[in-house]
Amino acid sequence: MLLAGLGGCASERRSLLGRTYDNVVARDNAYFLAREKMRATELALAKARVNDYNRVLPLFPVVDEATATRLTADMEDIIKKASLPVQHRPGSDWTDDSYLLIGQARYYKREFEDAAKTFKYVNSTSKDPNARHEALIWLMRTFLALQEPGNAAAVSDILDKETGTEPNARALFLTRAEYYLQTGEPARAIENLEKAIPYIEPKNEQSRTRYILAQLYQAQGDDKKAYAELNQILKKNPPYELDFFSKLMLGQVSDLNLNDRTRLNKYFAKLLKDPKNKEYRDKIYYEMARVDYRQQRYPEALALLQKSVRTPEASKAQKAYTYLLDGRIYYENLQKYRLAAAYYDSTVQNMPREVPAYEAIAERAGILKDFAQQLIIVENQDSLQALARLAPDELTTRLTTYAQAELDERQRQAEALAARQEVERQRSQQQTATGLAPGRDLQPDVSAEDFLAGNTGAKWYFDNPTALSTARNDFIRKWGDRPLQDNWRTVTQASNSPVTPQGGNVPVSIAGNDNTVVNGTDKPAAVDPAVQLQSLVSQYRQKIPLTPEQLTASNAQTEEALYALGGIYNQQLREPERSIETYETLLRRYPTGTHTPETLYILYLIHKDRNEAGKAEQYAARLRQDFPATSYARLVADPEYLRRTSVANAKVAVLVDSAFVFYKKQDFKKATAVLAQARQQYPETDLNDQVAYLNALLTIRTQPPLTARATVEKFYKDYPQSPLASKAEVLLDTYRKYDQGQITGVLASTDKPVVSVFKPGEVDPRMPVYYRAPPKPAATPPPALTPPNGAATAKTPTNSPALEKATPAITTPAPTDSAAAKSVLPPPPPPLSPEEEAKAARRAAAQARARGQKVPTPAKPAKEPVAAVVPEPLPPTEPVPQPNSPPTPAPPVAPAPVPVSLYKADQAVSHFIVLVLAKDAPILADLPAQLQAYNGRFYKSSSLLVRQQALNATQELVIVEAMPDARIAQSYALKLRGPQSPLSKLRGAGYQALVVGIDNLPVLLQQGNLDEYQRFYDQNYR
């Protein structure tokens, strides 16, 4: 028998006796110690919880970094003990339980990844369903700690598919409730808490869970169920703190009729009188204020909130919620925004950052701070303008009254400060004379407990280092730094220190700068009250906008502040009603302000989102009528305008980048061509300033100084708000310095530079530079008419002196030394032969046909040169006489420029159908409604809109919008002549139908000239 027992004790043997031995050894040794230590740790965590009853209590103990550090030693010991059965008894039934303890210890150490691996291992290897379910529940808690709700939901779904065990039911339901609280589903959290409560055996823990359930019921508005849960808590004699807050919460979920109000007042009064509730008085006042807040008794609620804050024992966390309720009342109910901003700021300063609502409250505090600043600007400027409208005598009287009131307030504050200082001085003298602190006999308001605490323990005077340090500083300030000796009061302490009054080694930090020999102790000379009053009145008067310039600046500040207030209401506070009110005030006060188009568009969007089509159309019509050329009017007509503009901006950005690369490589010809392509294909984009500035840089590098300067000045005038305007100003400043003689030499030359004027490495200094006019992208002349050197003049058989006279060269100083020998002008290009001219003409014709353009007609050789482009006028200079040169002919006369149309021929954009009728046409009154019915019957899917708008004094427009492109719009216009159309009776007489692009309609409305658009329409749409 003994041999059999010894044989069964071996862990390698899988006999019944050996397995039993392994189980007993594994369970009752290291595992038992580890499990008991884990239970003790969890119990200590539960007792150490600091509960914030102003928000929903956490279901599990919160393990932060500090807590994990404090628990590290105990958790390491648990892991060490739980590892012994795994190492030495791997075949026992307690191996998976040991792994569970190891995973829990890693969880409390905040090693969540390792804990998750451990729980997954137990779930995949254990044969015990209870251990596997417990591992899955802990894995779900780990994912919640890692802020991975998706993985936690997946684990919960796995648990749903398995048969649960009763020992794990409590942990499962609580973990699921925690999951639903984190995901913002309180209803499902309530459902799981109701299931978990029957499985919670500890009485106090069950009461705490019921309190959480009551909080959730109250948040859902189910006060009756919350009241029932609180009654269940009070019946089981919970801990005092939980009992106290349960009673407080009863007042919040009770029916507030007259009888209940009286009962609650007595109840709260009883709580305030109870000495055990002394540390909770701030919370009692807060709950009383919440009751008044529910009854909309806001002044009474604010008074109670002030009592809560001023309670000596008020905690910082409770102050945060008190300030928050103050801020809500002032903002939501009383509309006192400056006070609301101040209370929200105090809330952020006192509220712990781990509170879930902290981020939202901090954001609201920042918004209200900005809001209050803008509101102060509006109020101040309105007040100053009201004063400016007063008569001079009345204004002086009003300012004098204000100044006198301020001086009186200053005097009152100074007297109050002096009275407090005198009281402090007398108290200090009394304490110094008697050597005793005021006792309880002189302080009847001090309770026996406080008096005892102040004379014993840490609060006792001679055990309190802070009190001793304060007393020593007071002594030194009055008597100086005297040594401890007999008769110290009668001993004269001489000192030559300039920082001590009447001697004594007193540091300045104690004696003060105004109480030393250096600064003296004499008070400053009194100021004449009349002079002080007059000075204050002058200061007031300087802030009043009395001149037109000051009034304009004041209006600008008010306009900007009102616009900012509307944006805060609309975008940040999400209050459309107040946003509409603010924006309408802005439009009423500044109908032609800088923000008027944008304000109209914002109001259009707000009413559109609120499904108020009539009001939205009013603002849209005003945009189209008053600001037709703005992007906001185009956005109203075509919601896709912004998307198309973004696409155009992206394409222009690519072209500008390409042009700048060519510019850096000094390939000015290609850079100019790319910029011309960008201007031609995308004339209106958000990058027009970049295109214009790069064109100015190219002009500087390729044109004479006067032309380049004019280009830079035009850019600075056209784009004053561009970020590149500062760079243009630097260039203009260079030209100004040159005019003043501060820069010697010349700014540019038509000669080829010998030495590069650019920075080393920027361009190739060996590349020849020619200064010439850029080619015109709009017109494509035959190559035969363009000289190879790029001058924009007509082709002549011989070199004409007129060309030299048309573009006179600006002379440069003669180079010195070896540079003079290298300064050689490039030879003129040879003229083209007739064969080359014919070949170039054929090539140009083929390119024109490939592009779908008209074939250019080759120009006949003229007897006299004709300039294709008239150069900009330059100051007259004396031409350099050439030997044996023929007489200079008269300058050619430039042809009349072709007028440039303001309209764009882009048939791919959205188009409108515009019907032009006389203002007195009989059909005009009913035509918009008839067209709307016609569109609803035959074009319902297109969602076409019909509106009426004046063109000029005699003509009215009926506009049908919007068609995807010109082809569909022309088809619609053609069908308007059919028998189903409301215009069929007119038989094409009495009205005019036009197809107008979305970009051309604002121009047409602004110009009001129908004949000009008719010519454009005939050329491009027929």
Side-chain angles (χ1 to χ4, degrees):
M1 182 65 70
L2 180 61
L3 293 175
L6 292 175
C9 290
S11 60
E12 293 81 2
R13 309 286 181 90
R14 303 313 302 159
S15 64
L16 177 60
L17 186 58
R19 185 178 181 84
T20 303
Y21 177 80
D22 287 345
N23 290 337
V24 171
V25 173
R27 181 193 64 190
D28 295 339
N29 287 288
Y31 172 78
F32 173 80
L33 297 176
R35 183 188 63 188
E36 293 302 314
K37 193 163 192 175
M38 178 62 74
R39 289 177 178 175
T41 301
E42 291 180 338
L43 184 61
L45 282 176
K47 290 183 178 180
R49 284 184 293 201
V50 178
N51 297 314
D52 184 0
Y53 289 90
N54 289 297
R55 58 191 178 103
V56 178
L57 299 179
L59 290 169
F60 300 107
V62 178
V63 182
D64 52 13
E65 294 289 347
T67 305
T69 303
R70 180 168 51 84
L71 297 176
T72 298
D74 291 338
M75 295 301 107
E76 290 289 350
D77 187 55
I78 290 174
I79 292 174
K80 180 179 179 181
K81 288 182 171 60
S83 300
L84 294 178
V86 176
Q87 296 173 0
H88 301 289
R89 307 292 172 182
S92 68
D93 296 337
W94 298 94
T95 301
D96 47 8
D97 298 277
S98 299
Y99 273 119
L100 280 175
L101 278 178
I102 293 172
Q104 294 171 23
R106 289 173 174 171
Y107 175 88
Y108 286 120
K109 289 177 63 180
R110 295 184 61 86
E111 297 174 356
F112 298 123
E113 290 79 6
D114 293 338
K117 292 178 182 179
T118 305
F119 296 136
K120 290 178 182 179
Y121 176 79
V122 175
N123 177 59
S124 59
T125 60
S126 177
K127 297 179 181 180
D128 183 6
N130 190 33
R132 287 192 292 105
H133 291 167
E134 187 177 358
L136 287 174
I137 294 170
W138 273 98
L139 181 61
M140 188 174 177
R141 283 186 61 180
T142 305
F143 284 139
L144 291 177
L146 288 170
Q147 300 296 322
E148 297 178 4
N151 291 335
V155 175
S156 179
D157 293 340
I158 294 175
L159 288 168
D160 278 338
K161 299 176 182 178
E162 297 192 8
T163 303
T165 58
E166 190 167 324
N168 294 323
R170 168 181 174 271
L172 173 62
F173 292 134
L174 290 178
T175 304
R176 280 181 174 168
E178 179 69 18
Y179 164 75
Y180 289 122
L181 286 176
Q182 288 192 14
T183 56
E185 301 178 66
R188 303 193 68 176
I190 289 173
E191 178 184 348
N192 282 275
L193 284 179
E194 290 174 343
K195 295 178 181 179
I197 287 176
Y199 295 100
I200 302 177
E201 295 181 358
K203 182 187 65 173
N204 292 341
E205 191 65 25
Q206 186 185 87
S207 297
R208 187 177 186 277
T209 307
R210 285 187 182 276
Y211 186 85
I212 298 174
L213 185 58
Q215 287 179 311
L216 295 177
Y217 278 137
Q218 184 190 18
Q220 295 294 104
D222 199 344
D223 290 343
K224 291 184 178 180
K225 291 185 178 180
Y227 192 90
E229 293 296 333
L230 293 172
N231 279 331
Q232 290 291 330
I233 295 173
L234 296 175
K235 288 179 182 179
K236 295 191 176 183
N237 193 21
Y240 179 76
E241 184 182 59
L242 185 58
D243 178 84
F244 170 77
F245 283 101
S246 298
K247 291 177 180 178
L248 278 182
M249 192 174 178
L250 276 175
Q252 298 297 330
V253 298
S254 300
D255 294 331
L256 292 181
N257 52 39
L258 184 59
N259 295 330
D260 288 334
R261 175 66 187 178
T262 304
R263 180 176 56 84
L264 284 176
N265 288 338
K266 294 181 180 180
Y267 177 69
F268 284 130
K270 181 180 178 181
L271 291 176
L272 287 172
K273 291 180 180 179
D274 192 345
K276 292 185 296 184
N277 299 333
K278 182 180 179 181
E279 59 177 319
Y280 300 124
R281 286 179 181 174
D282 55 343
K283 178 65 175 177
I284 297 173
Y285 284 124
Y286 173 74
E287 293 297 332
M288 294 172 67
R290 288 183 63 188
V291 172
D292 286 328
Y293 177 71
R294 288 177 58 194
Q295 293 183 323
Q296 300 182 0
R297 301 171 59 186
Y298 304 122
E300 292 82 357
L302 291 173
L304 290 170
L305 291 174
Q306 290 298 317
K307 289 184 178 180
S308 175
V309 172
R310 294 173 181 173
T311 302
E313 300 83 7
S315 65
K316 187 176 180 179
Q318 180 56 49
K319 282 184 178 180
Y321 293 100
T322 304
Y323 289 138
L324 179 60
L325 186 55
D326 273 316
R328 289 182 58 187
I329 293 174
Y330 280 118
Y331 176 75
E332 298 175 0
N333 306 112
L334 302 181
Q335 284 80 45
K336 295 183 178 180
Y337 304 109
R338 279 179 287 184
L339 287 173
Y343 278 112
Y344 267 97
D345 184 66
S346 299
T347 301
V348 173
Q349 294 179 10
N350 288 275
M351 181 170 286
R353 290 183 176 269
E354 59 269 14
V355 175
Y358 176 83
E359 295 296 334
I361 294 173
E363 182 181 3
R364 173 62 66 91
I367 293 171
L368 288 178
K369 183 179 180 180
D370 187 20
F371 184 93
Q373 291 176 353
Q374 303 301 330
L375 189 62
I376 290 173
I377 292 175
V378 174
E379 293 177 349
N380 289 347
Q381 295 304 320
D382 288 346
S383 300
L384 292 175
Q385 291 183 19
L387 290 174
R389 290 190 291 268
L390 297 177
D393 295 339
E394 186 179 358
L395 175 61
T396 302
T397 303
R398 186 77 61 88
L399 295 182
T400 304
T401 303
Y402 294 156
Q404 187 62 51
E406 182 174 348
L407 291 177
D408 293 343
E409 178 64 20
R410 292 181 184 177
Q411 182 66 23
R412 187 191 64 80
Q413 293 179 0
E415 292 175 355
L417 178 62
R420 289 195 299 269
Q421 292 177 347
E422 180 64 21
V423 170
E424 292 294 333
R425 188 184 65 81
Q426 293 178 0
R427 183 180 300 174
S428 176
Q429 288 180 352
Q430 179 183 3
Q431 182 176 353
T432 303
T434 59
L436 297 174
R440 184 167 177 257
D441 294 336
L442 300 178
Q443 300 182 31
D445 294 335
V446 178
S447 63
E449 293 82 359
D450 290 342
F451 181 79
L452 182 62
N455 290 274
T456 58
K459 292 186 178 181
W460 191 41
Y461 178 82
F462 290 104
D463 287 342
N464 190 339
T466 303
L468 289 175
S469 176
T470 303
R472 174 173 174 77
N473 291 337
D474 291 340
F475 180 85
I476 292 176
R477 186 179 294 109
K478 184 173 182 60
W479 299 99
D481 190 9
R482 295 171 176 263
L484 182 59
Q485 59 184 352
D486 295 336
N487 302 321
W488 61 268
R489 296 191 188 190
T490 59
V491 175
T492 301
Q493 184 74 13
S495 175
N496 294 325
S497 174
V499 298
T500 59
Q502 310 301 327
N505 300 323
V506 184
V508 177
S509 60
I510 297 177
N513 285 332
D514 59 346
N515 197 26
T516 65
V517 176
V518 175
N519 296 324
T521 58
D522 296 335
K523 295 182 179 180
V527 181
D528 186 4
V531 175
Q532 197 173 11
L533 181 65
Q534 188 62 32
S535 175
L536 199 56
V537 170
S538 301
Q539 294 177 16
Y540 288 163
R541 192 179 296 274
Q542 292 177 359
K543 298 178 182 179
I544 300 176
L546 298 175
T547 64
E549 295 78 9
Q550 293 175 340
L551 184 60
T552 302
S554 176
N555 285 329
Q557 292 186 44
T558 306
E559 182 182 0
E560 291 294 332
L562 282 174
Y563 178 77
L565 286 176
I568 293 173
Y569 272 134
N570 185 36
Q571 299 294 333
Q572 297 177 324
L573 298 178
R574 306 295 181 183
E575 297 185 12
E577 291 290 345
R578 294 179 180 175
S579 175
I580 292 173
E581 181 181 351
T582 305
Y583 280 132
E584 288 179 345
T585 302
L586 175 63
L587 292 177
R588 184 173 61 255
R589 295 182 59 174
Y590 307 101
T592 58
T594 57
H595 296 292
T596 299
E598 186 176 358
T599 302
L600 290 172
Y601 181 69
I602 293 173
L603 287 170
Y604 162 79
L605 292 179
I606 293 175
H607 287 295
K608 186 178 179 181
D609 293 340
R610 292 160 62 90
N611 296 322
E612 297 173 352
K615 294 183 178 179
E617 180 57 30
Q618 291 178 7
Y619 293 109
R622 185 173 172 184
L623 262 178
R624 291 188 291 260
Q625 181 70 31
D626 299 341
F627 308 97
T630 60
S631 58
Y632 302 106
R634 299 176 183 178
L635 279 172
V636 169
D638 181 17
E640 293 294 319
Y641 171 77
L642 191 61
R643 182 189 62 80
R644 292 189 292 103
T645 304
S646 300
V647 173
N649 289 339
K651 293 181 179 180
V652 171
V654 174
L655 293 176
V656 171
D657 290 343
S658 302
F660 189 71
V661 171
F662 288 130
Y663 169 80
K664 295 292 287 185
K665 293 181 178 180
Q666 206 181 3
D667 196 344
F668 302 138
K669 183 177 180 180
K670 292 182 179 179
T672 304
V674 172
L675 279 186
Q677 178 185 357
R679 289 195 297 267
Q680 182 180 12
Q681 294 182 354
Y682 309 100
E684 294 293 337
T685 64
D686 295 337
L687 303 180
N688 280 1
D689 59 333
Q690 298 185 20
V691 175
Y693 183 74
L694 186 53
N695 180 66
L697 294 182
L698 287 169
T699 306
I700 292 173
R701 299 293 179 90
T702 59
Q703 297 298 311
L706 293 179
T707 305
R709 180 174 184 174
T711 305
V712 177
E713 289 176 345
K714 185 176 185 303
F715 170 84
Y716 190 76
K717 180 180 179 181
D718 293 344
Y719 304 98
Q721 303 299 328
S722 171
L724 300 171
S726 60
K727 298 181 181 296
E729 189 176 6
V730 173
L731 294 175
L732 292 177
D733 186 60
T734 303
Y735 284 113
R736 285 191 291 268
K737 290 181 179 178
Y738 175 74
D739 293 341
Q740 297 171 2
Q742 300 181 17
I743 299 178
T744 59
V746 295
L747 292 179
S749 173
T750 55
D751 297 338
K752 175 183 177 182
V754 178
V755 181
S756 174
V757 297
F758 306 106
K759 295 180 181 180
E762 179 176 311
V763 295
D764 186 0
R766 295 170 297 176
M767 180 177 293
V769 181
Y770 299 98
Y771 297 95
R772 54 181 175 78
K776 295 287 185 178
T780 309
L785 301 180
T786 305
N789 62 355
T793 57
K795 173 69 177 66
T796 57
T798 60
N799 293 335
S800 174
L803 177 62
E804 299 177 0
K805 188 174 182 180
T807 56
I810 298 178
T811 59
T812 59
T816 58
D817 301 335
S818 61
K822 298 180 181 179
S823 177
V824 181
L825 292 175
L832 297 178
S833 63
E835 293 79 4
E836 292 175 339
E837 291 183 5
K839 185 177 180 181
R842 289 194 298 273
R843 186 184 303 111
Q847 293 177 354
R849 284 193 296 272
R851 297 172 181 171
Q853 301 174 351
K854 295 182 180 180
V855 179
T857 303
K860 295 181 180 180
K863 294 182 180 181
E864 293 184 0
V866 180
V869 177
V870 179
E872 298 186 11
L874 296 176
T877 57
E878 294 294 335
V880 180
Q882 301 290 339
N884 301 326
S885 60
T888 303
V893 180
V898 179
V900 180
S901 176
L902 297 176
Y903 301 102
K904 305 174 185 177
D906 189 357
Q907 301 190 15
V909 300
S910 299
H911 279 66
F912 300 153
I913 305 299
V914 177
L915 304 177
V916 186
L917 298 95
K919 281 187 177 291
D920 56 354
I923 195 175
L924 189 60
D926 300 329
L927 184 58
Q930 294 176 1
L931 283 175
Q932 195 68 47
Y934 172 76
N935 294 335
R937 181 179 178 186
F938 297 101
Y939 296 92
K940 187 175 182 180
S941 60
S942 300
S943 301
L944 300 178
L945 300 176
V946 181
R947 58 184 174 89
Q948 184 176 339
Q949 190 164 351
L951 176 64
N952 48 44
T954 60
Q955 293 175 316
E956 195 80 10
L957 302 182
V958 177
I959 305 171
V960 182
E961 57 186 36
M963 309 293 177
D965 52 35
R967 182 181 58 81
I968 298 178
Q970 288 175 329
S971 174
Y972 180 90
L974 183 62
K975 292 180 180 179
L976 282 179
R977 301 179 182 179
Q980 306 289 344
S981 169
L983 300 175
S984 60
K985 298 179 181 180
L986 299 180
R987 299 183 181 276
Y991 75 95
Q992 187 177 3
L994 298 175
V995 176
V996 184
I998 186 173
D999 297 324
N1000 295 330
L1001 182 60
V1003 181
L1004 175 61
L1005 294 174
Q1006 189 174 14
Q1007 298 294 326
N1009 189 349
L1010 189 62
D1011 296 335
E1012 181 180 352
Y1013 183 78
Q1014 184 67 51
R1015 288 192 296 270
F1016 169 80
Y1017 179 79
D1018 294 338
Q1019 293 175 2
N1020 296 277
Y1021 289 90
R1022 292 183 178 177

